[in-house]
Amino acid sequence: MKKTYKIEVDCAACANKMEDAAKRTSGVKDAVVNFMTQKIIVEFEDGQQAESVMQSVAKSCRRIDDDCRIYF
């Protein structure tokens, strides 16, 4: 299952780091961050609850930059 979320990130480099952090999160099959549209598309592994996985993704991204925000 894929879902798209609105994000808030200040620079393209941070967006790349955010994408990498999301991809390394348990329960995420793939993730793509688009800095220009300020969106992240997350593909979840089968059987995963999107809400709980996204909480982990958001926590991982905040470690990269305190200003990063994911709205879900």
Side-chain angles (χ1 to χ4, degrees):
M1 163 177 52
K2 282 186 182 181
K3 288 194 167 197
T4 302
Y5 300 93
K6 175 93 174 96
I7 62 171
E8 190 176 308
V9 63
D10 295 333
C11 69
C14 292
N16 285 334
K17 291 178 185 177
M18 187 177 189
E19 182 176 291
D20 290 340
K23 287 180 178 181
R24 289 191 307 267
T25 303
S26 178
V28 174
K29 188 173 185 178
D30 194 24
V32 177
V33 172
N34 186 317
F35 175 69
M36 295 301 289
T37 62
Q38 294 284 295
K39 292 183 180 176
I40 183 171
I41 301 168
V42 180
E43 183 176 359
F44 300 95
E45 293 177 355
D46 292 337
Q48 295 295 319
Q49 295 295 322
E51 184 76 21
S52 62
V53 172
M54 286 309 295
Q55 289 176 0
S56 297
V57 169
K59 189 182 293 185
S60 296
C61 291
R62 271 189 239 111
R63 284 188 202 128
I64 299 205
D65 184 355
D66 285 341
D67 293 334
C68 289
R69 298 287 178 257
I70 301 176
Y71 301 99
F72 54 95

